[in-house]
Amino acid sequence: MITYKAHIIDTPTPQAFRIIENGYVTVSDEGRVVYAGSQLPATAGELVDFGDRLLIPAFNDLHLHAPQYRNNGLAMDLELLPWLERYTFPEEMKFADTDYARRIYTRFVHELWMQGTMRSAVFATIHPEATCVLADLFRKAGLGAYVGLVAMDRNAPNGLCNTAKEAFAAVSVLDDELGRDGIVRAIVTPRFIPSCSEEMLTTLGRLAKERNLPVQSHLSENRHEIDWVHELEPDATCYGDAYNRYGLFGQTPTLMAHCCYTNDEEMRLMRENGVCIVHCPTSNSNLASGMAPVRRFLDNGIRVALGTDVSGGHYMSMLRVIQYAVQTSKMHFAQSRGSIPFLSLSEAFYLATKSGGSFFGRVGSFEPGYDFDALVIDDSYLNFDRYTLPERIGRFIYIGDDRDIRVRFCQGRELPEPPLVV
Ligand code: GUN
Ligand code: FE
């Protein structure tokens, strides 16, 4: 048992920040929150005083591509489909070389740690060895992750295609290797419908069902992509239905990134099947994809998380994604002449913490029973003139960065800085 004292800030509900000035969080030996409040509990164990610092839940990035890390901040002059062909597929092909993969993935995992992202749902590539290296780096760093061996067998260069059989075998091996006890696990990852034949989708649906594995993919991101899916899957009632037919749409816990053009039919399917949408506003802006109607998703009772979508998104900071989510929703507000309410800062923070965290269990809040995934924030550089605590969390989200993060906890463990070089 251990108790931390600081200004505690989290979002048990999206409507408002819960702010406990000079509060306490008590954490069990298993790394779970047993108490958060303003009184020092009778059984508190050792007391660690963080003074005037903020203690907030760590971030959860529910959609990003580890092998695109080198392309961050590059290649933003094309829309999705030519962008994949011209910049992304050539970079991902390099991960056939496991030494190259280890070098890039080492930096990638370091950056997740640096940005305070303790849990993530990650696309790797089709390469089993490189993907094992990535999973291993996560385990060594103590970070939680769903690691996706990507499946694709059409409309890509030969070097980036695997067969349904290979994908089935490789994901099974990764799942056996990682098991279900730790915080690094396998996830079934069809890249998107244009990359996956009927045989591939059938096989992955069977794999997800047989092993009860979660699923992640892309959905309704770009207009040209959607037209193409209608040509490829003419019988599907909507893009989402093309996954649903194969048992890849909520039959097991499912993440679908983007959803810029999700229509009523697709929304109905997502609600009925409990599919979680991953909103990636920086990527949707960089690739000129569009603006996802997040308010409509929330009003329809659909779970929404946030993702950086590196390298469609240019930067791995979830702070910037929270900020962009609010700003994008304000463009929607303006476009709708004020009829679509924009996201509040606490709502966007909730999406990046408790909502995304729910994909990993009880993660993303300081309520009792939640894993203690937390960041200690020293905002003294920003707090030069007696700002209030609501002002301080707002300023940290908008203009703070990783330099203000002093301590990182995942499941109660303080995580040391992982290596930057192999
Ligand atoms: N759709 C299929 N592959 C990708 C990818 O790598 N990034 C994004 N943003 N969308 C995709
Ligand atoms: Fe993506």
Side-chain angles (χ1 to χ4, degrees), residues 63 65 218 258 309:
H63 182 80
H65 299 258
H218 297 93
H258 302 290
D309 191 30

Side-chain angles (χ1 to χ4, degrees), residues 305-334:
L306 297 182
T308 57
D309 191 30
V310 153
S311 66
H314 54 283
Y315 193 46
M316 256 160 72
S317 165
M318 288 300 289
L319 288 170
R320 295 296 85 81
V321 175
I322 294 170
Q323 169 206 325
Y324 254 75
V326 173
Q327 288 176 323
T328 305
S329 75
K330 287 177 176 172
M331 295 298 102
H332 253 136
F333 170 86

Side-chain angles (χ1 to χ4, degrees), residues 118-412:
M118 296 294 110
R119 315 262 183 162
S120 53
V122 179
F123 282 55
T125 59
I126 64 154
H127 308 102
E129 251 186 71
T131 306
C132 266
V133 166
L134 177 62
D136 228 41
L137 287 163
F138 272 118
R139 281 197 293 204
K140 287 197 179 112
L143 294 165
Y146 278 112
V147 178
L149 225 151
V150 173
M152 44 201 297
D153 66 347
R154 64 177 180 183
N155 297 315
N158 275 341
L160 261 199
C161 286
N162 48 12
T163 64
K165 232 174 153 176
E166 284 166 349
F168 189 97
V171 177
S172 302
V173 168
L174 185 68
D175 182 32
D176 288 340
E177 161 88 6
L178 294 173
R180 305 292 168 89
D181 298 332
I183 53 174
V184 182
R185 299 188 194 181
I187 183 166
V188 174
T189 307
R191 181 174 208 119
F192 66 157
I193 293 290
S195 299
C196 298
S197 71
E198 189 178 330
E199 188 195 359
M200 180 63 91
L201 294 167
T202 307
T203 303
L204 296 181
R206 187 159 60 84
L207 175 63
K209 185 175 176 193
E210 278 180 17
R211 290 190 167 248
N212 191 27
L213 281 171
V215 172
Q216 61 178 353
S217 194
H218 297 93
L219 180 67
S220 298
E221 175 176 4
N222 168 288
R223 285 202 172 95
H224 303 292
E225 172 211 19
I226 294 167
D227 291 344
W228 196 15
V229 169
H230 285 313
E231 282 169 33
L232 293 166
E233 299 281 332
D235 296 338
T237 58
C238 60
Y239 190 162
D241 184 46
Y243 293 111
N244 191 42
R245 289 163 174 246
Y246 300 100
L248 294 164
F249 208 62
Q251 289 75 13
T252 58
T254 299
L255 298 169
M256 284 286 156
H258 302 290
C259 302
C260 299
Y261 299 99
T262 287
N263 59 20
D264 288 345
E265 160 69 4
E266 195 161 272
M267 218 175 301
R268 184 188 60 77
L269 254 184
M270 298 187 101
R271 186 182 51 243
E272 283 176 9
N273 291 10
V275 172
C276 176
I277 290 175
V278 189
H279 178 41
C280 305
T282 54
S283 171
N284 296 341
S285 166
N286 290 332
L287 297 179
S289 298
M291 299 190 291
V294 175
R295 177 62 67 199
R296 268 176 64 216
F297 300 149
L298 296 173
D299 286 348
N300 274 278
I302 297 171
R303 181 153 42 119
V304 178
L306 297 182
T308 57
D309 191 30
V310 153
S311 66
H314 54 283
Y315 193 46
M316 256 160 72
S317 165
M318 288 300 289
L319 288 170
R320 295 296 85 81
V321 175
I322 294 170
Q323 169 206 325
Y324 254 75
V326 173
Q327 288 176 323
T328 305
S329 75
K330 287 177 176 172
M331 295 298 102
H332 253 136
F333 170 86
Q335 263 195 340
S336 70
R337 296 176 176 271
S339 70
I340 303 174
F342 53 78
L343 295 178
S344 68
L345 197 58
S346 67
E347 277 182 302
F349 187 83
Y350 172 89
L351 300 184
T353 55
K354 188 173 172 181
S355 187
S358 66
F359 203 73
F360 301 89
R362 279 152 67 86
V363 170
S365 173
F366 295 139
E367 293 156 88
Y370 273 70
D371 285 359
F372 185 66
D373 283 27
L375 306 176
V376 176
I377 308 301
D378 181 348
D379 65 337
S380 46
Y381 179 78
L382 302 172
N383 183 31
F384 55 81
D385 191 30
R386 279 194 269 150
Y387 290 94
T388 64
L389 285 170
E391 289 172 338
R392 284 172 64 183
I393 185 66
R395 279 169 62 81
F396 170 64
I397 292 170
Y398 268 97
I399 57 178
D401 59 41
D402 60 275
R403 289 170 298 182
D404 308 318
I405 305 175
R406 287 303 147 83
V407 188
R408 296 146 177 91
F409 295 96
C410 186
Q411 235 176 25

